Amino acid sequence: MQITSVGHAGFHIRTAAGTILCDPWVNPAYFGSWFPFPDNTQLDWDELGNSDFLYVSHLHRDHFDAKLLTEKINKDTTVLLPDYPVPDLKRELEALGFHKFFETEDSVKHTVTGPGGDLEIMIIALRAPADGPIGDSGIVVSDGETVCFNMNDARPVDMDVLHDAFGHVDIHLLQYSGAIWYPAVYDIPARTKANFGKQKRQRGMDRARAYIEQVGATWVVPSAGPPVFLDDELRYLNDDRGEEGNIFPDQITFLDQMEIHGNAGGLLMIPGSVAELRGKELSSITHPVVPDSIYGDKAAYIQDMAERMAPVLAAEKASWATGDEPLLPQLKELFEPIMAQSDLICDGIGYPVGLVMGEETVVLDFPARTVRPVVEGEGKYRYGFRIDPQLVRTVLRDDEPDWVNTIFLSTRFTTWRVGGYNEFLYTFFKCLTDERIAYADGWFNEAHDDSASTELEGWEVQRRCPHLKADLSKFGVVEGNTLTCNLHGWQWDLESGRCKTSKGHELRSRKL
Ligand code: FES
């Protein structure tokens, strides 16, 4: 098996049976905030676009690059499709002209036939509202000799299914770095922000190491991030000044962490790097340039890239919507019907949320299920966002069903909150269609199984995390009376079972 990095979460997998192109991304995403790092524009995208199979793990813009898919990828390729209950990914691909789909079943091994023979594949589809835009996935590929697990940024909860179907995994490709706006955009003192960032940075890498341990692959490729931020106003987000509170550590940092913890199987791959494997045996790995020319002076590399990409960024900004009409009527028309269909989510949010867009403030009054102007003397909201009205006008113009996949991941906003993270709120913002909100509301409504228990440091706790059902015997860490689930870093007070991170989500726990 030959694996070529095509940048970020993108890989090209060549086998005797055929080739698979995974998550190709080259054009800036999220309002021009994210670019692939290192630069991958120099790759031969015409050649890559002629692969036998295409796998797009999910709809996040750094995995689903509509421009690249339109311009460079052969529409007759067979798309290996994850099993998502809301079929938006298939619809979006169809709208771009793709017409051959191999529809997989979640966590089931399938045989697909390429021009040179058969391949075994399995797509693990995560379907919780918190997974990507209602769905994220990882793919396993076996050519009968080598098993590759491309987990990208998915967070599977059960690894047994992987080993049961494929046995030993030879190479594991996974995310280890941040891909979120927290804590950068929060109105909190700089020192607090740096502390939160430091914890987040370490937790992301710890989670990746927990996965690496569970998968037990011979080789590991840190991938799927971090992106690079080239806009002057966002350059502070890059990890090029040695700040401990930066949540975007790069591949070199993570490979060091692996070494420190006794795992020497880490491989650095940059766009154009090629790894040749036969089972566990890595026969060669080659790079298109000396990696030190990128990581040796990363700030200079980023500066250089920013100068090259300046026209691309300027064109992106020129495409944003302008106008001066009030936003309230449009937001009312969009949000109120969604609120009316999502009692559980609106009650879960539980308070009015302020949207400050330049001179105009609009209140999303979730308890009342209305969108309204500010009421005099109302004071500050428990949760609020300050967003450039241009961005809001653009998502409204483009009928975007998901503000997480557009505005929030852009980090071009600021926010404040009193109290914990509110998962229901971000779920609401990513479900702005009838179909999505119905699915998400139903998902929260389902009774989650908490019947099994596990023992951790003298506590009996429910085995499955109340957040997204991670196995707490593997992801749970107890310190004093606090349980942390390392999958997403949520915390519980073991004495009371109260979730310290978000509303609801109570844990069953008992001192032994
Ligand atoms: S599954 Fe998300 S914190 Fe446990």
Side-chain angles (χ1 to χ4, degrees), residues 157 465-470 472 485-490 492:
V157 288
C465 176
H467 178 218
L468 291 180
K469 300 188 221 170
L472 290 173
C485 170
N486 262 337
L487 194 52
H488 306 96
W490 284 32
W492 284 263

Side-chain angles (χ1 to χ4, degrees), residues 141-453:
V141 179
S142 169
D143 60 2
E145 192 173 59
T146 306
V147 177
C148 168
F149 178 28
N150 176 8
M151 196 171 104
N152 73 81
D153 62 4
R155 310 225 180 132
V157 288
D158 184 2
M159 288 298 153
D160 292 345
V161 63
L162 172 70
H163 293 121
D164 291 350
F166 289 90
H168 179 74
V169 174
D170 298 301
I171 183 162
H172 183 190
L173 325 170
L174 86 163
Q175 186 190 49
Y176 61 95
S177 191
I180 192 77
W181 52 88
Y182 172 89
V185 301
Y186 278 85
D187 279 355
I188 42 176
R191 187 173 302 174
T192 315
K193 198 181 280 195
N195 274 335
F196 286 162
K198 195 172 157 191
Q199 286 166 19
K200 178 91 187 148
R201 176 185 175 98
Q202 192 57 46
R203 248 192 335 250
M205 294 196 281
D206 289 350
R207 178 183 59 235
R209 286 194 307 99
Y211 271 122
I212 289 167
E213 228 169 84
Q214 287 178 55
V215 172
T218 310
W219 305 104
V220 173
V221 180
S223 56
V228 63
F229 300 88
L230 299 181
D231 195 345
D232 282 345
E233 58 192 83
L234 302 175
R235 293 275 281 279
Y236 75 98
L237 291 166
N238 298 312
D239 188 21
D240 58 359
R241 291 174 310 284
E243 280 171 14
E244 287 184 311
N246 186 294
I247 69 151
F248 297 104
D250 65 24
Q251 291 83 351
I252 303 290
T253 308
F254 185 67
L255 291 167
D256 280 351
Q257 289 260 317
M258 283 181 63
E259 288 259 8
I260 290 165
H261 289 89
N263 187 333
L267 297 177
L268 175 67
M269 291 186 84
I270 57 176
S273 296
V274 182
E276 301 271 359
L277 292 116
R278 297 196 87 191
K280 291 180 187 172
E281 193 189 315
L282 175 74
S283 45
S284 68
I285 180 156
T286 56
H287 303 298
V289 295
V290 183
D292 201 47
S293 65
I294 298 165
Y295 299 96
D297 186 349
K298 196 165 141 191
Y301 180 88
I302 292 173
Q303 174 58 26
D304 204 45
M305 193 171 166
E307 283 164 23
R308 277 198 315 280
M309 295 298 173
V312 178
L313 190 54
E316 163 65 33
K317 289 187 171 182
S319 73
W320 298 352
T322 52
D324 52 16
E325 70 286 2
L327 285 158
L328 176 63
Q330 287 185 72
L331 291 173
K332 204 171 167 60
E333 196 187 329
L334 171 67
F335 289 141
E336 283 187 355
I338 302 289
M339 288 172 165
Q341 300 172 59
S342 53
D343 275 343
L344 214 138
I345 290 172
C346 287
D347 290 344
I349 296 168
Y351 40 71
V353 172
L355 277 189
V356 182
M357 299 161 294
E359 299 296 297
E360 186 179 3
T361 298
V362 166
V363 180
L364 312 186
D365 192 336
F366 288 100
R369 318 291 197 251
T370 57
V371 178
R372 58 170 174 80
V374 180
V375 174
E376 240 192 76
E378 191 167 20
K380 206 173 169 186
Y381 309 97
R382 285 191 55 179
Y383 224 116
F385 299 95
R386 262 177 244 101
I387 308 173
D388 181 339
Q390 259 200 296
L391 304 193
V392 177
R393 289 183 201 287
T394 304
V395 293
L396 292 171
R397 177 196 68 191
D398 298 345
D399 247 341
E400 287 290 352
D402 183 346
W403 284 26
V404 170
N405 199 12
T406 47
I407 293 174
F408 295 132
L409 279 166
S410 79
T411 64
R412 294 181 188 273
F413 70 104
T414 55
T415 184
W416 72 89
R417 72 183 190 211
V418 179
Y421 173 77
N422 192 321
E423 168 133 349
F424 295 106
L425 182 57
Y426 289 100
T427 299
F428 178 85
F429 278 119
K430 63 162 81 163
C431 291
L432 303 176
T433 66
D434 294 348
E435 196 174 33
R436 286 188 182 202
I437 202 73
Y439 174 70
D441 213 54
W443 197 92
F444 285 120
N445 242 319
E446 263 177 32
H448 295 304
D449 173 25
D450 73 344
S451 49
S453 302

